[in-house]
Amino acid sequence: MNRSEIRNVSSFVGRYLWPMMKDQGYARRGLTFDKISAKSDHALVVIRSRRMDPGVVTFVVEAALAPKPFIAWLDRDQKVGTESLSEAHGLWRERLENWLPPAQIALGYGTEFWQFALASARSPDVPTESECSHAVRAELAKVLARLDSLLDRDVLVEQVLSGALTPLSISGEDLAAAVILADEPDRHAQLEQLLERASQSFDPPLELIAWIRGRASEA
């Protein structure tokens, strides 16, 4: 990825996306945006430049919710500072989907790519910067609202257990909810019920279950 491509994306983000995230309490690290709850859970938006066509600026937008205990589980063998957090630390994550003109879909471009043509390379098949900004801001507003609700751990646990939110990296709603509840001393009875159910599953992840119980004992 050359510097001009990253610079074009960064300039676009600074004009159109950063102001709305800043207004909602996000901090910026390059093209990573992070909002931290009172319980040190992280809502993350990560924007990555992609090289596709000359004269066309292309990027993807990833959103992730990374609860503090889930970060601790992923990084249990090493201490990782918040400056190193990315969408890979998300218990839940989602890539913002985009509309694309039919000509681009025919070329095999997926709906995860956001694109606009540089002023020097206008094309009827590629959105303008203004068109792209309106579309991505509309989708980003939706995901920011979702992330804000998930920073409430009660809402997050309910969403996981109900199946409304599909956790990544951990198999099963019970264990995913248990990881979150490991830091909630007032809900340890519920935590034990979840761990008991998980322990009776086929090939239970004993290391994770033991880690959750150990962390809960220190909460």
Side-chain angles (χ1 to χ4, degrees), residues 151-167:
L151 284 175
D152 182 327
R153 279 195 185 163
D154 290 339
V155 173
L156 178 59
V157 170
E158 187 278 327
Q159 292 268 296
V160 170
L161 290 175
S162 70
L165 181 151
T166 303

Side-chain angles (χ1 to χ4, degrees), residues 67-87:
K68 180 182 179 181
F70 185 67
I71 296 169
W73 162 249
L74 291 180
D75 298 329
R76 59 196 178 280
D77 297 326
Q78 56 184 343
K79 188 70 174 178
V80 175
T82 56
E83 69 278 359
S84 300
L85 290 180
S86 72
E87 70 276 19

Side-chain angles (χ1 to χ4, degrees), residues 36-76:
I36 307 174
S37 73
K39 294 185 176 181
S40 297
D41 297 342
H42 292 257
L44 296 161
V45 176
V46 182
I47 300 169
R48 301 195 184 279
S49 177
R50 292 287 186 265
R51 176 178 290 179
M52 300 291 282
D53 298 318
V56 177
V57 178
T58 304
F59 59 95
V60 295
V61 182
E62 303 268 7
L65 194 286
K68 180 182 179 181
F70 185 67
I71 296 169
W73 162 249
L74 291 180
D75 298 329
R76 59 196 178 280

Side-chain angles (χ1 to χ4, degrees), residues 58-185:
T58 304
F59 59 95
V60 295
V61 182
E62 303 268 7
L65 194 286
K68 180 182 179 181
F70 185 67
I71 296 169
W73 162 249
L74 291 180
D75 298 329
R76 59 196 178 280
D77 297 326
Q78 56 184 343
K79 188 70 174 178
V80 175
T82 56
E83 69 278 359
S84 300
L85 290 180
S86 72
E87 70 276 19
H89 290 88
L91 178 68
W92 167 84
R93 62 182 184 264
E94 177 177 280
R95 181 171 284 185
L96 269 66
E97 291 194 352
N98 178 28
W99 52 269
L100 284 173
Q104 288 181 309
I105 295 174
L107 290 172
Y109 294 166
T111 56
E112 71 269 24
F113 295 109
W114 295 87
Q115 295 184 312
F116 64 89
L118 293 172
S120 59
R122 291 284 171 82
S123 165
D125 295 328
V126 182
T128 64
E129 181 175 328
S130 177
E131 290 170 337
C132 181
S133 71
H134 282 90
V136 72
R137 280 171 57 88
E139 294 305 311
L140 182 60
K142 297 174 189 176
V143 84
L144 290 179
R146 179 89 191 272
L147 286 169
D148 211 44
S149 70
L150 295 177
L151 284 175
D152 182 327
R153 279 195 185 163
D154 290 339
V155 173
L156 178 59
V157 170
E158 187 278 327
Q159 292 268 296
V160 170
L161 290 175
S162 70
L165 181 151
T166 303
L168 300 172
S169 304
I170 291 180
S171 179
E173 292 85 357
D174 288 345
L175 276 177
V179 169
I180 302 163
L181 293 178
D183 281 9
E184 298 290 326

